[in-house]
Amino acid sequence: MSTVCVLTPIVVGSWPMIANAVAGAAASMGFSVLSSNVATPEGVSDATLHERVVVDVPNSDVVKEAMDGGQEMVIARDGVTLRFGIDERGRCTVCASGKGLSKRRLTEIAEAVSGRVVQQFAYHKLMAELKQRRFTVVQEHVAGDESIQLRVVIDR
Amino acid sequence: MKKPQFDISIAKDGSVKIKVSGVSGQECVRLTDMLAQMIGREDSRSLTSEYLGGGGDVRINSTVDAHIREG
């Protein structure tokens, strides 16, 4: 007997949980983490960059009790800089900037990385919950379409 | 009998697809509900022919389901 369910993750957590997901997304997409929890990292100046776009990380809500202001994480690759932060609504946002790239291209990059942040968040959340319930992950791999595949056995 | 298991796929855009198999009808629904609560919002759920003991699949769209429940 089986059921198939499709879900949209809700990214609710403290800033360290979000930052952990950003770091995982950066690593999986070849971005370098330039800095975290600083206003302006060394060597990065928005004044030298031509275009800039801001997009939301979908369905995100950073727990306000865990915020102490100014929390930010910056990643970069091939001249593109992505700055993750929290807006006044408590949502996680990403500001993409880079020389010689159109706003459309920057939006595509920001949305792709945001998706990967959600993927990493869902992965870490699931693994923690499954471990807490003593379920056993017997298979884990990244497929050709870059999806994360898990098989979990329920020992009763 | 097949061992109870979850097959979970987390796509690169973050969407999650979960298949729960090897458990009886009510238990299958309970486990699916538990996993859905771990992740976030449920977009759709399908009870397969395996679940129903043969015949076609049944797909429940959460939006339609909500309308039905609201009457």
Side-chain angles (χ1 to χ4, degrees), chain A residues 24-125:
Chain A
S28 70
M29 298 180 80
F31 281 83
S32 301
V33 177
L34 296 183
S35 65
S36 58
N37 206 26
V38 293
T40 306
E42 283 183 32
V44 175
S45 170
D46 285 343
T48 64
L49 304 171
H50 291 188
E51 293 290 357
R52 185 171 174 268
V53 298
V54 178
V55 302
D56 283 349
V57 172
N59 302 302
S60 64
D61 187 6
V62 182
V63 178
K64 290 184 178 176
E65 291 86 334
M67 294 167 59
D68 57 9
Q71 285 161 318
E72 194 170 67
M73 190 159 181
V74 184
I75 64 174
R77 187 190 70 188
D78 300 332
V80 177
T81 302
L82 300 176
R83 188 184 298 265
F84 287 84
I86 309 161
D87 69 10
E88 66 280 359
R89 302 163 297 172
R91 293 181 192 170
C92 184
T93 61
V94 54
C95 174
S97 54
K99 279 184 179 176
L101 292 172
S102 65
K103 286 196 173 186
R104 183 176 174 181
R105 180 67 188 132
L106 287 170
T107 301
E108 287 173 356
I109 294 168
E111 288 177 347
V113 178
S114 291
R116 222 45 102 73
V117 170
V118 178
Q119 181 194 43
Q120 288 293 317
F121 184 89
Y123 169 75
H124 289 293
K125 181 91 190 298

